[in-house]
Amino acid sequence: MTINWKLQAFILSASLWIAAPAAFGGGAEVYAKNCASCHGKDGKGETVMGKKAKVKDYTDAKVQASFTDAEALKMILEGKEKMKAYKDKVTEAEAKELVAYIRTFKK
Ligand code: HEC
């Protein structure tokens, strides 16, 4: 029985390990790598670069309402002014995950 219990615990932790990146990775990881320097880990944009570039606070519901998913997607892929295009760095699928991820900042 003890062996069985250990084996079950092992399988459980192993499957959590595998499932976690699929559930929380994607957008979060790509965001941390490419976007957090300006938009901040928490989406508030309170970073040195974010303040300089005057990025918006994505925890603010009014800011979230000011752009559609399609506009956000276009911004990420094609860029605008201070924000450069990311279409060489992220795939369209990743960009869509980024849009979904940005939506999670809203309080
Ligand atoms: C160099 C700093 C910088 C980086 C890095 C950056 N952004 Fe931006 N981002 C900006 C600025 C500045 C704006 C506002 C541009 C404007 O309205 O002219 C903006 C606008 C946006 C918008 C449109 C909504 C809005 O606030 O007007 C989205 C969505 C967005 N960024 C997502 C991202 C994502 C996702 C990444 C990573 C792939 C990223 N940004 C990386 C500076 C940055």
Side-chain angles (χ1 to χ4, degrees), residues 27 30-39 47 49-50 52-58 63-64 66-69 71-77 79-86 89-90 94-95 97-99 101-103:
V30 180
Y31 181 88
K33 214 165 104 193
N34 298 291
C35 324
S37 56
C38 285
H39 292 286
T47 63
M49 276 191 2
K52 246 191 231 162
K54 295 198 171 63
V55 299
K56 295 166 196 162
D57 178 358
Y58 295 150
V63 169
Q64 288 273 358
S66 72
F67 55 86
T68 65
D69 287 358
E71 282 164 352
L73 188 68
K74 191 164 180 266
M75 177 65 104
I76 295 164
L77 292 173
K80 184 182 152 195
E81 292 170 40
K82 292 194 185 83
M83 187 174 145
K84 60 177 189 206
Y86 279 86
K89 294 199 164 174
V90 303
E94 281 172 335
E97 280 179 358
L98 285 168
V99 175
Y101 187 69
I102 285 171
R103 295 300 189 197

Side-chain angles (χ1 to χ4, degrees), residues 6-18:
K6 276 189 188 160
L7 190 65
Q8 272 184 6
F10 173 76
I11 290 166
L12 184 69
S13 58
S15 59
L16 281 177
W17 181 250
I18 294 161

